[in-house]
Amino acid sequence: MDDADTEHGDDAVDDPAAAVRALEYVVDPVVAVVEGTITYANEAARDAFDLGDADRDAATALGARWDRLAGAIDETTVGTARRVDFDGDRGSVRLHRGANGATITFDRDGSEIHADGATGSPSGSSDRLVKDRALEEAPVGITISDPDREDNPLVYINEAYEEITGYAYDDVVGRNCRFLQGPDSNEDIIAEMAAAIDENRPTTVELKNYREDGTEFWNEVTIAPVRDEDGRVTNYVGFQNDVTSRKEAELALERRTEELEYILDRVEGLIQDVTAAVAGSTDRSDLEREVCERIAAEDADDGAWIGDRNPATGTIEIRSQAGDGPERERLEAGTDHPAAEAVATNEPAVDTVGGTTRAALPLSYNGIEYGVVTVRTDRDRAADDRETVILSALARAVASGINARETSRVLATDAVVAVELELTDRDLAPVALSATADCRLEYRRSVHRSDDETASLFTVSGASADDVAAAAADLPDVDCRVIIERDEGCLIELTSADDLVGWLSGRGARTRTIESEAGRARVTLEIPRSANVRSVVEAVEDRYDGTDIVSFQQREREGETRQEFAARLEKSLTDRQFGALQRAYLGGYFEWPRPTTGEELAQSMGVSRPTFHEHLRTAEAKLCRAFFGDA
């Protein structure tokens, strides 16, 4: 009660009306003492000590306490306060020393205080005690201020207010309540409270306030005027409620709503456009360029770039970029950049430096690494989990598109890397079957069925068809069907849950040979030189235990052109065989319904029908042999 108590201690005799207005609402007994005489007592003190107009001798009124209090007053420095505790049930007092006297506030425990220290409940005081105790023990902070005094200072606070704010009674009474305000307190809300006081009307606001230790809290404040019998405002009562938890939840909901609106605005059209770019691009370079340009066109983004890791140099080489992006052509791996982290971990990485957010997403499909896409955004807020999920989905779509381009490239390019591997993992059907049936398997080709399942054809030697079928029956998730049975072996069709050929095809690699014997398979792959060869090989190593790399070799793809194939086939045919095949094709003999008959074609060649069919069947056999090999 710094200013209020000093004023009453020094000037209560000159202005008792001011003291009454300031302190009559205080539920604790308060007396002002000057040279051993009680110059003022509030209503609570008059009730507690049975003070009348003539009972103003401090020693008589305060009884056994006075000796201790008189000594404490003499020991207290002018302008300071101290607490004096008494033994037993006498409680404690707060003593404020002024230049000409002292103000003494008696703490109450719910009972009346008598001069001799005993307690009781005089008749007629029970209603006041209940009201006083209700104010003191209310679960919300309660304050009373006096607008008749300069700056409308507080004249009362309850215990809940002390607990909420951390300020002690002695530290705040006599001060305007604005001491709770701080740098983030809303000026408009403060002005609303001031206007309500000027207009003598109640108001309720929510305001960020600061505790005594400097920590922030949200304060729900209700202020209302208190009027006397004549309608004049004599005081203001305030109610404070710490609503930090509820307010923070509301603010968090508002932030989440704003974030969702931001993300929805950003996503609108982006996924559709990126998907269109992925589907419509003719090659990988076009795809990457169009994706970067579309991302950079977003209002929220400043730029985007796509890079690819170079295993030989350990750098990330920039393949395509749009908008604001790195000026250099490569980024050192291991540097403090989210793109380097995304490549190293195969997980999204985000950082914010100098107000710029960089989100890097790995481009990975079916375990094959195709680089990293980095989005640069110049804004205050960082990318959150939802935005990262959306960008990751876009990255997966881009990686899928790159995979499709690389898979088609393996069929068209002649510049390949031939990789030879040795595998011993028994999850591979050829490896397991060669060990179980003690035979040798050689891969011929694969056939894709209508249900997207791949069936691979193998020639088998060293075991009978029955032995091979029996051995395959004991292998889990393996289906073996004998196609052709010969004396020296058989041709089988293998289908298994672990389809090596199909799995490699989905990663842009063509399986050239598989030779399996005694539980070991030698596999030769062809991968386009432009592809990430190391990533494909690492994926095989991760998938199959015991994988060894035998060799890498850059070469032109083995084989012949279409013209060379046609010339070789034509050379193997006799004139009659070539003529029969050509006339049958051009005459629509292989169509259904046939527009011509074998008899008609035979007549056109000047031969009999049986002779025509013999030439045609021989030509068809040579064509199939040239296409499918000796199998």
Side-chain angles (χ1 to χ4, degrees):
M1 296 177 59
D2 300 338
D3 296 337
D5 290 339
T6 301
E7 180 179 343
H8 287 296
D10 294 343
D11 306 318
V13 174
D14 298 332
D15 190 7
V20 170
R21 287 195 303 273
L23 299 177
E24 284 304 301
Y25 288 99
V26 178
V27 296
D28 290 331
V30 179
V31 297
V33 180
V34 178
E35 296 180 351
T37 300
I38 297 175
T39 59
Y40 167 76
N42 68 350
E43 184 177 353
R46 294 195 296 273
D47 289 345
F49 300 113
D50 294 328
L51 291 175
D53 292 339
D55 301 327
R56 295 306 174 100
D57 179 69
T60 301
L62 304 181
R65 290 188 182 83
W66 176 244
D67 290 340
R68 176 81 181 277
L69 291 174
I73 291 172
D74 292 338
E75 296 170 359
T76 303
T77 303
V78 172
T80 63
R82 68 186 299 178
R83 180 178 293 275
V84 180
D85 296 317
F86 295 98
D87 297 332
D89 297 331
R90 296 183 181 184
S92 61
V93 303
R94 293 188 293 275
L95 186 152
H96 301 257
R97 175 68 186 274
N100 299 318
T103 301
I104 304 170
T105 303
F106 294 83
D107 290 340
R108 304 185 61 162
D109 62 357
S111 301
E112 284 299 315
I113 306 174
H114 295 278
D116 58 1
T119 60
S121 298
S123 175
S125 65
S126 60
D127 287 345
R128 176 177 174 80
L129 288 174
V130 170
K131 295 175 182 178
D132 292 348
R133 206 66 228 163
L135 287 175
E136 192 64 24
E137 296 186 1
V140 297
I142 298 177
T143 60
I144 299 175
S145 67
D146 186 351
D148 289 339
R149 297 180 61 191
E150 183 180 356
D151 203 25
N152 192 16
L154 298 177
V155 295
Y156 169 78
I157 64 171
N158 70 345
E159 292 180 4
Y161 183 89
E162 295 184 49
E163 293 175 0
I164 292 172
T165 66
Y167 284 95
Y169 185 98
D170 300 340
D171 297 330
V172 301
V173 171
R175 301 170 61 186
N176 185 282
C177 62
R178 71 172 64 89
F179 62 83
L180 291 178
Q181 298 167 15
D184 289 336
S185 299
N186 189 298
E187 294 295 335
D188 293 337
I189 299 299
I190 294 172
E192 160 63 18
M193 296 171 64
I197 292 174
D198 290 342
E199 297 167 11
N200 292 330
R201 60 177 173 81
T203 188
T204 299
V205 298
E206 290 180 354
L207 181 69
K208 183 176 286 187
N209 280 161
Y210 294 80
R211 298 184 179 89
E212 192 274 338
D213 61 5
T215 58
E216 301 175 350
F217 73 101
W218 281 96
N219 195 1
E220 181 185 66
V221 182
T222 298
I223 56 175
V226 178
R227 303 177 188 273
D228 60 16
E229 295 83 353
D230 298 326
R232 185 179 68 87
V233 175
T234 60
N235 294 91
Y236 270 91
V237 61
F239 302 92
Q240 287 81 22
N241 190 19
D242 184 349
V243 294
T244 303
S245 297
R246 189 250 299 166
K247 191 66 176 180
E248 288 180 347
E250 291 176 356
L251 294 174
L253 179 60
E254 290 178 4
R255 286 193 297 270
R256 285 195 293 271
T257 302
E258 291 176 359
E259 290 168 359
L260 287 173
E261 291 175 351
Y262 167 83
I263 291 171
L264 289 174
D265 289 342
R266 183 179 184 188
V267 169
E268 185 178 2
L270 179 59
I271 293 178
Q272 181 178 355
D273 290 348
V274 168
T275 302
V278 169
S281 57
T282 57
D283 57 34
R284 179 174 178 176
S285 297
D286 288 342
L287 184 155
E288 292 173 340
R289 176 180 52 79
E290 291 178 17
V291 167
C292 288
E293 290 177 352
R294 178 59 185 86
I295 294 176
E298 283 291 302
D299 292 337
D301 299 326
D302 286 345
W305 58 267
I306 291 177
D308 198 7
R309 177 168 63 101
N310 187 330
T313 62
T315 61
I316 300 173
E317 298 181 354
I318 309 303
R319 293 175 53 89
S320 181
Q321 62 177 305
D324 294 337
E327 297 179 357
R328 51 185 178 270
E329 295 181 355
R330 62 178 56 86
L331 184 70
E332 296 296 328
T335 189
D336 185 18
H337 193 286
E341 180 182 347
V343 168
T345 63
N346 198 36
E347 295 290 340
V350 181
D351 72 357
T352 301
V353 179
T356 297
T357 296
R358 300 176 298 185
L361 300 311
L363 297 176
S364 178
Y365 184 81
N366 280 343
I368 303 301
E369 174 192 317
Y370 292 109
V372 60
V373 57
T374 300
V375 181
R376 185 178 184 274
T377 302
D378 188 9
R379 64 170 188 266
D380 294 334
R381 60 180 298 277
D384 64 4
D385 291 342
R386 301 181 189 88
E387 192 171 0
T388 302
V389 167
I390 292 170
L391 291 174
S392 296
L394 290 177
R396 286 193 296 272
V398 174
S400 174
I402 294 174
N403 172 264
R405 303 304 177 276
E406 293 301 301
T407 300
S408 62
R409 183 192 296 269
V410 75
L411 301 176
T413 183
D414 290 330
V416 297
V417 176
V419 181
E420 191 172 355
L421 305 172
E422 188 172 90
L423 293 86
T424 58
D425 195 324
R426 294 292 179 94
D427 286 341
L428 281 171
V431 173
L433 190 56
S434 70
T436 305
D438 191 19
C439 61
R440 175 182 173 83
L441 287 83
E442 293 185 40
Y443 172 71
R444 293 304 179 185
R445 65 183 62 249
S446 294
V447 178
H448 292 283
R449 295 175 173 171
S450 58
D451 56 359
D452 289 335
E453 190 177 57
T454 300
S456 298
L457 298 177
F458 288 85
T459 56
V460 180
S461 59
S464 67
D466 291 341
D467 291 340
V468 172
D474 293 333
L475 298 178
D477 300 323
V478 173
D479 181 36
C480 176
R481 188 162 64 95
V482 178
I483 306 298
I484 299 174
E485 185 174 358
R486 298 171 180 158
D487 292 339
E488 68 275 11
C490 57
L491 177 69
I492 64 171
E493 181 185 80
L494 272 183
T495 306
S496 65
D498 193 320
D499 173 24
L500 174 63
V501 176
W503 184 80
L504 287 170
S505 176
R507 285 150 182 80
R510 170 182 283 185
T511 304
R512 296 296 296 179
T513 66
I514 302 175
E515 298 176 356
S516 184
E517 190 172 7
R520 307 183 76 86
R522 186 68 64 96
V523 180
T524 303
L525 312 177
E526 285 185 349
I527 307 170
R529 291 180 189 175
S530 60
N532 191 332
V533 176
R534 169 56 63 181
S535 182
V536 175
V537 174
E538 288 176 351
V540 177
E541 291 176 320
D542 291 341
R543 183 178 177 88
Y544 300 108
D545 294 334
T547 298
D548 289 327
I549 302 172
V550 178
S551 66
F552 282 95
Q553 183 180 359
Q554 292 191 12
R555 69 187 185 196
E556 297 301 314
R557 172 171 287 146
E558 296 177 356
E560 55 192 349
T561 65
R562 177 180 177 183
Q563 291 77 13
E564 292 171 339
F565 174 81
R568 179 172 60 84
L569 177 61
E570 185 176 353
K571 186 177 180 180
S572 69
L573 299 173
T574 66
D575 291 342
R576 291 288 189 177
Q577 293 166 358
F578 181 80
L581 186 63
Q582 186 181 52
R583 288 169 186 267
Y585 176 74
L586 296 176
Y589 184 75
F590 300 111
E591 300 173 8
W592 189 261
R594 290 173 175 169
T596 186
T597 66
E599 182 71 30
E600 292 170 341
L601 292 173
Q603 290 177 2
S604 71
M605 290 182 63
V607 298
S608 65
R609 186 171 61 84
T611 301
F612 169 78
H613 282 294
E614 181 181 354
H615 291 319
L616 181 59
R617 282 195 299 272
T618 303
E620 289 172 340
K622 288 182 178 181
L623 176 61
C624 291
R625 190 176 299 110
F627 190 80
F628 295 112
D630 296 334

